[in-house]
Amino acid sequence: MLFASDLDQTLIYSRRSFRHEAAEEDIRLIEVLDGKEISFMTHKAISLLKQVSEKALFVPVTTRTIEQFKRISIFQSELAAEYAVTSNGGNILINGTPDSGWNARIAEQLKDGMPREEMLEKFQEIVHEEWVLKQRTADDLFSYCIIDREKIPAELESFTQWLSEAGWTHSMQGRKLYFVPKPVSKWAAIEYIKNLVGEDTVSAAGDSLLDLCLLENADYAFAPRHGELQEKGQDSQGKITRTEWEGILASEEILAGVLEKTDHHLNAVQR
């Protein structure tokens, strides 16, 4: 089995996204930036993920850039995976190195779509400093903004409709608004890895609209009871297993569920 999981607010959490009081002895700091604490996992979640990784191919799948992903120390040390997907599927790392074949495939597919510059030019029609605080490009593949959600204009809805027709997708996660070309998807990257390693069965976990393609195509799908998918009421026709817990404790529940499915799959194969 292959286990493909989103990271932020699925397996790893900032303090402000814990949603529960957590004793210091129960959590582990796994990411630091400029001397500041960024992300944590519970020790129980780490233990469960190690058990899953012993029985299945664990593939971290994140919208983070390569640089941002490599900041997470635990995924560069005892939970380092042979394969990792970054940049929302735009990059596949094999033992930490980008797969040039995958990069060439993505570049070719993007030639047929609307250029990012043209998309952003249209977006500027509704941009105002009151709600768009910063604009960024990630790994030269997609764009995202830091926004004030309280001041989002009504025009954003019509823009996102136009965006979808133009071959792009969007996602709003916390204070970040993402614009991603449709060929750059988490499931496309996982399907590539799946075929590369010859694995037929996939478990997946995620919390945002950018994870929906991953969950819809997986054999077993898990999502925390928080985040964008929860807010939008997306459940892929009942296919997605929701956690009872929100926040950092949801990661433990997800991993326990994945471990159970993995054991069940291994037992079935061995019969």
Side-chain angles (χ1 to χ4, degrees):
M1 182 181 288
L2 187 156
F3 172 46
S5 183
D6 173 56
L7 299 180
D8 292 277
Q9 297 206 58
T10 299
L11 294 186
I12 73 175
Y13 292 79
S14 65
R15 283 192 184 274
R16 67 183 179 187
S17 63
F18 279 6
R19 293 180 172 86
H20 297 279
E21 290 292 331
E24 291 301 312
E25 62 267 24
D26 293 335
I27 59 175
R28 173 174 162 185
L29 177 64
I30 59 168
E31 181 185 10
V32 176
L33 177 63
D34 298 331
K36 296 180 180 179
E37 298 179 340
I38 302 297
S39 299
F40 298 81
M41 290 181 72
T42 68
H43 290 293
K44 183 177 179 180
I46 292 170
S47 175
L48 286 166
L49 183 53
K50 286 181 178 179
Q51 292 178 61
V52 171
S53 298
E54 289 171 358
K55 301 176 179 182
L57 178 64
F58 168 53
V59 182
V61 185
T62 179
T63 305
R64 287 174 175 238
T65 64
I66 295 173
E67 179 184 2
Q68 291 167 340
F69 169 68
K70 289 188 173 182
R71 290 199 314 242
I72 309 171
S73 59
I74 196 167
F75 298 127
Q76 315 307 317
S77 55
E78 70 258 45
L79 278 169
E82 181 178 359
Y83 297 92
V85 175
T86 71
S87 320
N88 200 66
N91 284 298
I92 292 174
L93 305 183
I94 302 179
N95 293 318
T97 301
D99 183 327
S100 59
W102 178 250
N103 290 150
R105 181 185 297 193
I106 288 292
E108 188 64 29
Q109 291 176 350
L110 291 180
K111 287 180 181 178
D112 297 329
M114 176 180 288
R116 185 177 64 255
E117 293 77 13
E118 189 174 335
M119 181 277 295
L120 288 175
E121 184 177 346
K122 178 73 173 178
F123 180 55
Q124 298 311 306
E125 295 177 7
I126 64 169
V127 166
H128 192 283
E129 62 183 8
E130 286 187 358
W131 76 280
V132 177
L133 309 179
K134 295 179 182 178
Q135 296 187 60
R136 296 284 187 269
T137 295
D139 285 345
D140 202 32
L141 288 165
F142 61 90
S143 297
Y144 67 94
C145 311
I146 308 299
I147 63 171
D148 184 337
R149 291 185 68 144
E150 299 297 320
K151 298 179 180 178
I152 292 173
E155 290 83 1
L156 181 62
E157 183 175 354
S158 58
F159 172 76
T160 55
Q161 290 175 353
W162 171 86
L163 193 71
S164 180
E165 294 168 1
W168 287 66
T169 188
H170 76 284
S171 174
M172 193 180 302
Q173 303 174 39
R175 297 175 64 237
K176 289 184 178 179
L177 174 61
Y178 294 90
F179 302 134
V180 183
K182 290 182 178 179
V184 179
S185 82
K186 292 182 176 182
W187 174 251
I190 286 299
E191 190 171 36
Y192 176 85
I193 294 171
K194 176 173 170 275
N195 293 331
L196 201 62
V197 300
E199 184 55 71
D200 292 329
T201 307
V202 176
S203 288
D207 72 299
S208 79
L209 286 177
L210 294 177
D211 299 312
L212 188 58
C213 62
L214 190 62
L215 302 181
E216 287 177 332
N217 287 284
D219 298 280
Y220 307 107
F222 297 86
R225 195 170 290 281
H226 64 250
E228 190 179 27
L229 290 178
Q230 179 74 11
E231 293 168 4
K232 300 289 186 181
Q234 294 279 0
D235 68 354
S236 190
Q237 299 179 337
K239 180 179 180 179
I240 300 172
T241 300
R242 298 281 185 179
T243 61
E244 293 295 326
W245 290 97
E246 296 182 346
I248 196 168
L249 296 183
S251 64
E252 299 175 0
E253 197 175 340
I254 287 169
L255 289 166
V258 171
L259 185 58
E260 181 181 353
K261 293 296 185 185
T262 302
D263 285 339
H264 177 77
H265 175 72
L266 289 175
N267 289 335
V269 169
Q270 291 167 2
R271 286 189 191 129

